[in-house]
Amino acid sequence: RGLLGDPEAIEAAIWFHDAIYDSKAKDNEAQSAALAEKKLAGRANPSRLNRISAMIVATATHQVPPFEDAAATRDASLFLDMDLSILGAAPDAFDAYERAVRREYHWVEEPMWRAGRSAVLKTFLARPHIFHTEEFRQRFEPQARENMTRSLQALQTSL
């Protein structure tokens, strides 16, 4: 919390970022951002509300929104890193997360699941850095790479 320029905006983004979630939908982030805008209208000034909304939408790609304000950029970087921190969790926690994600997508046939999840993991592994901030890189990056590499290998192993 001490690292954040606007802790209340980050807290709102955390609460709303998956408020609307359907594993079959492609617009969960946009719908969650719209809900945040609706529920927070009149409670947050328009500039803060725009930042909250942009951070929520950014969870679709985990790319930092192009804010002009350095503090907002830093907050968004930390928010996105928090969202991805499970990737750098201890192996047993990460494996439980991977199983939970698979249950969310139970409706996807196994070959399609393996291809789609592999593509997601490869995209993250191809980045120069998974995490945007130095704090999260130091704390989570090596374990995240190990976890995702292990998961990718399991997905590519035939049944």
Side-chain angles (χ1 to χ4, degrees):
R1 193 166 178 88
L3 298 174
L4 302 172
D6 188 351
E8 291 79 17
I10 299 301
E11 184 175 356
I14 290 168
W15 280 105
F16 281 99
H17 88 282
D18 276 336
I20 296 179
Y21 185 80
D22 175 353
S23 65
K24 294 180 181 180
K26 301 283 186 202
D27 63 346
N28 290 313
E29 297 82 5
Q31 285 193 46
S32 292
L35 179 65
E37 290 172 9
K38 178 181 175 184
K39 296 293 185 181
L40 297 174
R43 296 178 181 188
N45 70 49
S47 176
R48 178 184 265 177
L49 197 49
N50 287 338
R51 287 193 315 274
I52 293 167
S53 180
M55 287 188 288
I56 294 168
V57 170
T59 61
T61 62
H62 287 91
Q63 297 296 322
V64 179
F67 294 123
E68 292 181 16
D69 180 327
T73 299
R74 170 99 171 127
D75 281 357
S77 297
L78 286 163
F79 167 70
L80 292 173
D81 284 356
M82 286 183 253
D83 192 46
L84 292 179
S85 64
I86 186 64
L87 299 177
D92 59 337
F94 175 82
D95 293 346
Y97 161 76
E98 285 286 273
R99 288 189 300 273
V101 172
R102 180 60 179 118
R103 282 191 303 273
E104 286 178 30
Y105 289 87
H106 64 89
W107 52 271
V108 177
E109 293 181 25
E110 191 64 23
M112 293 298 291
W113 164 255
R114 288 175 178 257
R117 188 65 181 164
S118 293
V120 168
L121 295 173
K122 286 177 184 177
T123 298
F124 278 113
L125 287 168
R127 293 180 178 188
H129 300 287
I130 295 165
F131 298 97
H132 298 286
T133 63
E134 192 59 35
E135 295 89 347
F136 276 77
R137 287 179 194 154
Q138 288 180 8
R139 185 171 176 189
F140 294 109
E141 187 95 14
Q143 187 63 55
R145 289 193 178 278
E146 286 179 29
N147 287 338
M148 289 191 293
T149 298
R150 185 170 36 80
S151 185
L152 185 57
Q153 289 170 344
L155 288 165
Q156 293 175 339
T157 301
S158 61
L159 293 174

